[in-house]
Amino acid sequence: MAPRTCALCESAKAMLKRPKTGQQICRDCFFYVFETEVHNTIVQSKLFQPGDRVAIGASGGKDSTVLACVMKTLNDRYNYGLDLFLLSIDEGITGYRDDSLETVKRNQQQYEMPLKILSYDELYGWTMDAIVSQVGRKNNCTFCGVFRRQALDRGAAMLHVDHIVTGHNADDIAETVLMNIMRGDIARLGRCTAICTQGEDTIRRSKPFKYAYEKEIVMYAYFKKLDYFSTECIYSPDAYRGHARVFLKELEAARPSAIIDIIHSGEAFEVREEVKATQRVQQTCIRCGYMSSNDLCKACTLLEGLERGMASAGITDRGRKQLESQGPAPDNLRTIPFFKLPLGNPTIAIESTS
Amino acid sequence: MSTSCGNPTTEQDALMLRRQKFDKSKDCVRCKENAGNIVIRHAVYCKACFFPLISIKLRRSLDPFVNPLPDGPRRKGLKASGNLLLGLSGGLGSTVLLDLVNQTYFSWHDPPIEDATGKPRGGKDHPRNANVWPKATVCYVETCTAFPGAKNRTEEVKAAVAKYERLVFVPLKVEDAFDSAWWDSIGGKPSSKQLGMDITNEDLILSSISSQDESDAPILRLQHYISSLPTQTAIPAAVQTLTRLLLLHTAMSTGSSHLLLGTSLTSLSISLISSISQGGGFVVREEAQEEWTPRLPVASRKDNGHKNGTIRIVRPLRDIGMKECAMWAWWRRLDVVGREKFTGGKQSIGPLTKEFIVGLERDYPSTVSTIARTCAKLAPKKGTGGVCLLCERPAQYGLQDWKSRISIRSFKDESSFGLYRPPHFPERDPANAPEPTSSSPSLAPFLCYSCHTTLTSRSSRGTTAVTASRDNPVPLPMWVTSNLTSASRTPVRSEDTDGSLDEPQELWSSHKMDAAQMKAAVADFLLDD
């Protein structure tokens, strides 16, 4: 069979079938359309202003590795005028993050971007290894998940950046739409397709890969020969996300546009006004200033439990009651530093590329 | 932040926990005497309590929408302003709906049953004593011609409906959507020329179709339309749209104020997820409850008592699951004719969603109702650009630009490169540059996202279309041609409605009335304290 010609440039030999459109195109056209679609997303959503300091949440996985590459390319190509940084979180698990952090360090050299690796130890005074030694393996993920959610914001505040970008892709977002419908989480459903989220007291956070297919991100990394570290999180088979993920893969196989179609659906509806009025108002933690649904945020509750030797305080109602029965927290309790939005110059040193 | 990782080890509510089949004992939760016969979402009911339970659920879903003022006072009884049309597919839901509607609203006693005082029991306007709708029609749309090898079930359905004395049966065929005789019979104006679209082009360029004897037959036009669709997903979606519009136009031609559909809670969850997966988020509200305003001139349609001839589409089984429907049909010994199953299976979003939801309902019965309840809390974002010409539901504007931005499919002209031209891309000789297609009339700007996706989105395995080609335009349903050829059609792009209609279009929406509004509505009937 004669080689097919690229459906876009109509001159080069087609090298791949594009997962998003099914078109047979050449490698250079693939790079061009992939990067241009991300550029279109950035421009259309007015994500950045010239001079913005932008931290790329870098885990060393495929999404953030490709994001760093594309952000660097687009910043140079279209003169965005951004100061780009890499921001990684080290949970402090011996032998777990080492490989992926090496990938991030290579990105730092390759793209000449300053890198800050922020550890749980630095932020919370506890490594995950230390937490596991106290709570055991059963509930350690509770601590890791809650601490990680705050870590990027706190790291970004230390770097004095205006904006964090993360590698969430189209598959992640479509999956989240389905999951939130299935579990009736109307509050998250209303905001999960937003490209940019910013609370009053948090740093702007965006997803430039909102419309980029996971398969195309892998394809981009493959053709650009980017190396990344693959870490799969194994969810329980009975988790909502697990069901949503399996279903989404079937939909994508039936019609690839299903991923974009679901995101489009999520963007086309909103929570009804009378329902919004009944939703809980977001507040800030009285101890650390981070956003919270209660007086004390989950991270502060967990940390207090660790510090007072009652690790279950943040996990079960019984543990919390037990902690409360012991009286108020002592004055000398180690706490998370108060969260403040960045003003002025960075307060911490970052690793330069030289 | 606002996102949730969904990891069950970090979030307590991320796990789908299996609950016990039923909550407390095996006795009926309603009468608390009989042993239970059925478990409905963890609650046990006996057979005697099951029937009133289902009847009450039906009336709770339908009664508020019967009177012209929705959700308003019903103190003076139920009285629809027009006739009733009931869509029957031959499936379980619509068969049960037919039986329930007949039992509840068309089994009135003549003369009425009297109470001790000699007056009709429940009042003379009670559904038991008087008809709520002057006339009721049952419409069946035969779709066998759209699916090769499918069986024609019209006669079986006709026999099943014959048992209901007060209901009139109207059979239709899905190819009627392409039949000028049908269009003429319901009051549509025959168009001077037939239009077709080039389905191989994303813009869906329009052209005239030459009227030849054989290809002019409605059945051949339908088959050309179906066989030109690019995916297995598009086929049932297209047939569903054609069926829905045939039912709506029949409702219009019978002077009906209401169209009832047998969508059960399970079917509603399936259609919600399926619609969202096909880009129909903007019309998520319409999947459960909608109003349709005919686009034909006033003179061409029968009056149904509603302003602008609006037809209210109600799904009275939306709180009743598939299992309850099955039990109703079994205990009432109903003859369920059955529907043709689309063989697209794993390659089609509709059947895939059905398999997914039915599986969920088996293991997690509450999840299915959660889906419907969650979607009921949603509303379309602002930005309605008009009405889609194909499905006649609200459509957003600016969709073509959105699609071309986030999914680049061609470099139509040099300007599409913007500030950066890829070095590998060859310079085009302006003399050989392809003709810009923007000057050609196209259907795409008149369609909603879902319909455009149905006609253009392709499978990764290539297209399923067997007859699509640039030189063989695909025929369009009668209402699309009619609207396109009527005076000054405007694309879906502004808040204004189409100026070609004889009277202003009014999108009719219902909302729950608060206490003050309710009081204002009944003020004349309230006595001073």
Side-chain angles (χ1 to χ4, degrees), chain B residues 161-367:
Chain B
V161 178
K163 289 188 291 191
Y164 303 101
E165 291 170 1
R166 287 176 171 140
L167 309 179
V168 178
F169 181 62
V170 171
L172 288 180
K173 300 185 289 288
V174 69
E175 58 265 32
D176 288 341
F178 297 88
D179 190 347
S180 54
W182 168 78
W183 186 241
D184 194 26
S185 73
I186 58 129
K189 284 181 192 161
S191 177
S192 54
K193 59 177 179 179
Q194 294 295 323
L195 291 177
M197 61 182 163
D198 173 10
I199 210 163
T200 62
N201 184 314
E202 298 247 331
D203 289 333
L204 304 169
I205 304 298
L206 293 165
S207 58
S208 293
I209 294 182
S210 58
S211 185
Q212 294 164 357
D213 289 341
E214 275 188 34
S215 65
D216 209 27
I219 192 165
L220 293 177
R221 283 171 177 259
L222 168 78
Q223 283 166 353
H224 186 182
Y225 185 81
I226 297 291
S227 60
S228 303
L229 296 171
T231 55
Q232 294 285 353
T233 296
I235 296 171
V239 171
Q240 194 181 6
T241 300
L242 296 177
T243 306
R244 183 175 148 273
L245 266 294
L246 284 168
L247 288 173
L248 284 168
H249 282 101
T250 307
M252 178 198 73
S253 68
T254 52
S256 299
S257 53
H258 295 79
L259 166 64
L260 304 189
L261 299 176
T263 312
S264 67
L265 175 65
T266 316
S267 317
L268 178 61
S269 296
I270 293 167
S271 51
L272 285 165
I273 295 289
S274 175
S275 167
I276 287 169
S277 304
Q278 295 178 57
F282 195 67
V283 290
V284 74
R285 195 170 54 178
E286 276 74 13
E287 285 295 330
Q289 174 75 40
E290 64 181 309
E291 283 85 29
W292 175 77
T293 304
R295 299 170 80 81
L296 290 179
V298 179
S300 309
R301 58 186 196 230
K302 280 191 183 171
D303 180 36
N304 68 359
H306 282 170
K307 195 176 177 190
N308 296 331
T310 297
I311 292 166
R312 216 170 276 171
I313 304 153
V314 189
R315 294 163 175 86
L317 303 185
R318 65 172 184 267
D319 289 330
I320 302 170
M322 191 171 67
K323 180 176 163 186
E324 293 122 278
C325 288
M327 286 313 292
W328 181 278
W330 174 253
W331 278 330
R332 294 266 301 158
R333 296 178 191 279
L334 298 182
D335 182 14
V336 181
V337 174
R339 299 169 63 176
E340 209 60 47
K341 272 191 182 165
F342 175 59
T343 50
K346 280 272 177 192
Q347 291 169 25
S348 179
I349 288 177
L352 270 175
T353 311
K354 186 175 182 180
E355 191 183 305
F356 176 67
I357 297 287
V358 171
L360 268 185
E361 189 174 41
R362 193 170 47 235
D363 297 331
Y364 310 95
S366 306
T367 302

Side-chain angles (χ1 to χ4, degrees), chain B residues 86-98:
Chain B
L86 195 146
L88 180 65
S89 67
L92 176 66
S94 58
T95 306
V96 169
L97 178 68
L98 176 63

